[in-house]
Amino acid sequence: MPLLLLVLLVSVFVYAWLARRNSTLTRNCRWRLDRRAGPSSYHCTACGAVCDPGAGRAPRQCLRAA
């Protein structure tokens, strides 16, 4: 039983790492779909950046000017 819990814990951490490795989004990124600018246009409410990643996709990169 403890081995099963250990495997479950490791698998959760691996999933979280794989899901996050291609993203630079931070807690400050607030992407909102802006249909006035187009069907797949996103606007960041925190920094004002605009992005159009394509139909059915959400932004995965932070465009904040550092």
Side-chain angles (χ1 to χ4, degrees):
M1 187 66 171
L3 184 61
L4 182 63
L5 291 174
L6 181 63
V7 169
L8 180 64
L9 181 67
V10 169
S11 63
V12 167
F13 282 119
V14 168
Y15 171 76
W17 177 74
L18 288 174
R20 184 84 171 121
R21 70 179 176 169
N22 292 326
S23 175
T24 62
L25 298 179
T26 65
R27 185 174 281 186
N28 296 331
C29 295
R30 302 285 185 234
W31 289 106
R32 301 293 184 255
L33 185 59
D34 186 9
R35 293 194 189 264
R36 293 175 292 156
S40 63
S41 180
Y42 284 83
H43 173 79
C44 180
T45 58
C47 69
V50 176
C51 176
D52 191 356
R57 299 182 63 190
R60 301 220 8 112
Q61 304 300 326
C62 182
L63 301 176
R64 180 181 307 264

